[in-house]
Amino acid sequence: MTAPATKTAESSIVEVRNLVKHFPVDGSDDVVQAVDNVSFDIVAGETLGLVGESGCGKSTVGRCLLRLIEPTSGDVLFEGNNIVGLPNKQMQGLRREMQIIFQDPYASLNPRLSVRSIVSEPLKIHRIGSKAEQNDRVVDLLQKVGLDPKYADRYPHEFSGGQRQRIGIARALALNPKLVICDEPVSALDVSVQAQVVNLLQDLQQEFGLTYLFISHGLAVVEHISDRVAVMYLGKIVEICMAEELYEHPLHPYTKALLSAIPIPDPTKRRDRIVLTGDVPTPINPPSGCRFRTRCPIAIDECSAVDPELRQIRPGHFAACIRVEGYNNATAPQKVETTTAELA
């Protein structure tokens, strides 16, 4: 299956093809189908938001992209090179180009290391620069993320949550990467601090030409930072398109339900909520056909027999639902040249 994208493949820095990740269940032949046949592209310089409920597999996708966990099957192409199955020595060289910002800024920082050691550690591992040059790099990075370099010899517990996340961002940028996986980087922070960190990420993206995969369950945050958004449910992508298009014209019933839950910052206005019934099915034994059908308000009998693929319903707008108008007549997913202005 060809992955949906908004530009030609030549401009894609990451191409994910039929990615699968299953985790074995101890003492059983069953597997947890965390990610099941996921395909998408990330265009160089853009931010692709990946959203969905907790447990849908979005963080697993991000870690598979970096091979922090090994995919069960499928391909991950970084700048045209398939990194799945690469020897560790070759993979280590590629890690200079691919970094991650973790969700919990305290758990991801070694409490026994000072900030200076944490930020300079990637430089030491890859043997970049002398000790003096590494210290200069630490000072520069701390300034870039809004921290005073005079605190470089302090330890993580001496900083607030927002400051610790800035340290994590500085560490991720130490090697001048091209791709940064942002794995729910603001979900553990206060709302006011979330805005500061998101704005910082956007500023750094413009300054360094970074490409982001921004993973989050906060749709309001994703709308603010993303160029395109992919929606995941129970291990599969069910909708993907430009952010503006998704928030104004969602097609998949799951996307509509998620968007209806976003609070409106005006007490005089009310949003029509779409309340989903039932619990999220287990990824060990997902429903037949469409995985969302057991909670879908518009499901029909055919949904239990048909596992819908992502199909292009509008230019650059892909959805996996047989009830979406135009789905049955839609062409198979294909790459198209689409701009935000054309989708407005």
Side-chain angles (χ1 to χ4, degrees):
M1 183 180 71
T2 305
T6 54
K7 296 186 180 180
T8 59
E10 288 74 19
S11 62
S12 297
I13 190 171
V14 174
E15 301 171 56
V16 178
R17 298 288 178 266
N18 308 115
L19 182 67
V20 174
K21 180 57 185 178
H22 292 170
F23 294 97
V25 178
D26 291 340
S28 169
D29 293 332
D30 294 330
V31 294
V32 176
Q33 301 177 33
V35 178
D36 196 7
N37 199 31
V38 165
S39 298
F40 61 87
D41 291 351
I42 306 178
V43 177
E46 79 165 341
T47 298
L48 175 64
L50 187 59
V51 301
E53 294 172 287
S54 295
C56 71
K58 53 189 186 295
S59 291
T60 302
V61 168
R63 291 168 188 253
C64 283
L65 260 61
L66 301 181
R67 279 187 57 198
L68 295 180
I69 54 178
E70 293 292 338
T72 302
S73 64
D75 298 313
V76 177
L77 281 71
F78 179 75
E79 295 188 321
N81 300 310
N82 194 351
I83 68 171
V84 176
L86 271 185
N88 289 335
K89 188 173 183 179
Q90 290 179 257
M91 194 62 210
Q92 184 177 5
L94 276 177
R95 293 196 190 282
R96 294 180 58 173
E97 311 288 348
M98 311 161 69
Q99 291 292 309
I100 185 170
I101 301 167
F102 293 98
Q103 176 179 358
D104 188 341
Y106 190 71
S108 63
L109 302 177
N110 190 331
R112 292 189 174 93
L113 296 182
S114 68
V115 171
R116 188 186 308 279
S117 297
I118 289 171
V119 178
S120 64
E121 188 174 24
L123 302 171
K124 295 175 182 176
I125 291 173
H126 290 272
R127 300 177 182 178
I128 298 175
S130 63
K131 186 173 182 179
E133 290 171 333
Q134 291 173 358
N135 285 331
D136 289 342
R137 178 66 173 158
V138 170
V139 169
D140 181 59
L141 286 168
L142 292 179
Q143 291 174 333
K144 294 288 187 186
V145 300
L147 293 176
D148 194 328
K150 71 181 181 182
Y151 300 137
D153 293 315
R154 293 187 178 183
Y155 291 82
H157 72 273
E158 299 180 84
F159 295 88
S160 68
Q163 289 173 324
R164 287 197 290 263
Q165 194 59 289
R166 290 171 186 264
I167 296 168
I169 294 171
R171 178 179 61 183
L173 297 180
L175 297 173
N176 287 320
K178 296 178 181 178
L179 172 70
V180 178
I181 308 296
C182 304
D183 187 7
E184 304 207 36
V186 298
S187 63
L189 307 178
D190 293 336
V191 174
S192 60
V193 180
Q194 286 184 11
Q196 296 172 13
V197 173
V198 168
N199 290 335
L200 171 64
L201 289 171
Q202 289 181 307
D203 292 341
L204 293 171
Q205 183 178 35
Q206 292 182 355
E207 182 174 353
F208 296 107
L210 300 171
T211 301
Y212 290 150
L213 175 63
F214 192 91
I215 300 167
S216 178
H217 59 259
L219 276 81
V221 174
V222 170
E223 180 183 17
H224 180 70
I225 195 173
S226 299
D227 299 302
R228 286 188 301 138
V229 178
V231 182
M232 281 193 73
Y233 182 80
L234 207 62
K236 287 181 174 287
I237 291 180
V238 297
E239 188 165 1
I240 183 170
C241 64
M242 300 296 288
E244 183 179 357
E245 169 80 356
L246 184 90
Y247 283 83
E248 292 185 3
H249 306 291
L251 295 178
H252 198 281
Y254 177 62
T255 307
K256 293 179 180 179
L258 289 180
L259 294 178
S260 75
I262 300 177
I264 299 176
D266 186 341
T268 65
K269 296 182 179 179
R270 295 181 63 86
R271 191 190 300 273
D272 293 332
R273 283 292 311 275
I274 301 175
V275 180
L276 300 177
T277 59
D279 297 325
V280 179
T282 172
I284 296 177
N285 185 27
S288 62
C290 175
R291 295 189 174 191
F292 183 59
R293 67 176 176 81
T294 58
R295 305 173 70 201
C296 181
I298 62 171
I300 57 177
D301 291 342
E302 190 179 354
C303 295
S304 64
V306 178
D307 186 5
E309 291 186 352
L310 277 174
R311 289 188 179 273
Q312 183 174 227
I313 311 302
R314 298 172 179 162
H317 195 156
F318 298 79
C321 176
I322 63 174
R323 298 298 312 277
V324 171
E325 184 177 352
Y327 177 86
N328 292 328
N329 298 323
T331 58
Q334 57 183 322
K335 291 179 171 59
V336 292
E337 188 72 33
T338 306
T339 64
T340 305
E342 290 170 342
L343 291 172

